[in-house]
Amino acid sequence: MQRASRLKRELSLLTTEPPPGITCWQNENQLDDLRAQILGAADTPYEKGIFNLEIVVPERYPFEPPKIRFLTPIYHPNIDSAGRICLDVLKLPPKGAWRPSLNISTLLTSIQLLMAEPNPDDPLMADISSEYKYNKQLFLLNAKEWTEKYARQ
């Protein structure tokens, strides 16, 4: 019950006061199956891209983090081809930084930040990470190409 009322409150806040460049909604009236869209930030290779995400809220939420993955392909060192995201706030301690005080809005904002500033030292995609570190121009070119190909509406 606590989970449902908290989710309703979070969704209502995401609807009335969404973080800039982020939208989130229920998928087919399922409270634990959400969809989100993140707009690629200006001055990043993801600029003008619209990235769709799937959010699955576990039974134990907020004591367990939601499972979030990209549905839109994205060229990024911390996001793999299945859309999984390497981000500490998406994992439980001791390896992760999830806390029940965090919410879906915070997570989506953290993902948006990760898009703008990849962390090549904690990659899911080693090849993209080394490209980001040692040949940034090529990385930017590839990321822009993927954004054009997959994330433009």
Side-chain angles (χ1 to χ4, degrees):
M1 191 64 233
Q2 181 188 9
R3 171 178 170 254
S5 62
R6 171 156 167 174
L7 273 172
K8 279 195 181 96
R9 196 170 57 243
E10 281 190 40
L11 275 171
S12 137
L13 259 171
L14 276 161
T15 308
T16 55
E17 300 168 39
I22 295 174
T23 49
C24 184
W25 64 93
Q26 281 176 269
N27 188 34
E28 296 168 4
N29 289 331
Q30 299 289 317
L31 200 55
D32 55 1
D33 184 14
L34 310 175
R35 292 292 177 271
Q37 273 186 343
I38 296 180
L39 302 179
D43 304 321
T44 73
Y46 311 109
E47 186 170 7
K48 294 194 174 88
I50 299 173
F51 297 87
N52 293 304
L53 294 92
E54 170 188 74
I55 304 168
V56 177
V57 184
E59 280 299 319
R60 296 195 57 243
Y61 183 79
F63 303 104
E64 211 173 277
K67 305 235 178 307
I68 303 179
R69 71 182 186 95
F70 275 79
L71 298 173
T72 306
I74 181 171
Y75 194 83
H76 194 287
N78 308 106
I79 302 160
D80 72 9
S81 54
R84 291 180 302 231
I85 307 160
C86 183
L87 186 62
D88 59 352
V89 290
L90 293 174
K91 295 187 272 253
L92 284 167
K95 285 193 170 143
W98 171 256
R99 296 184 316 279
S101 58
L102 296 172
N103 59 33
I104 291 166
S105 177
T106 317
L107 291 178
L108 291 171
T109 305
S110 300
I111 291 168
Q112 187 182 41
L113 221 98
L114 180 72
M115 285 170 69
E117 294 185 24
N119 176 3
D121 299 324
D122 189 18
L124 268 181
M125 304 296 280
D127 50 340
I128 298 176
S129 173
S130 62
E131 187 179 284
Y132 180 85
K133 277 178 163 171
Y134 305 114
N135 190 347
K136 198 140 185 197
Q137 285 314 108
L138 182 61
F139 165 79
L140 292 170
L141 196 74
N142 285 328
K144 272 189 186 124
E145 251 175 48
W146 276 51
T147 301
E148 283 291 328
K149 188 172 175 182
Y150 301 109
R152 288 289 171 90
Q153 298 299 310

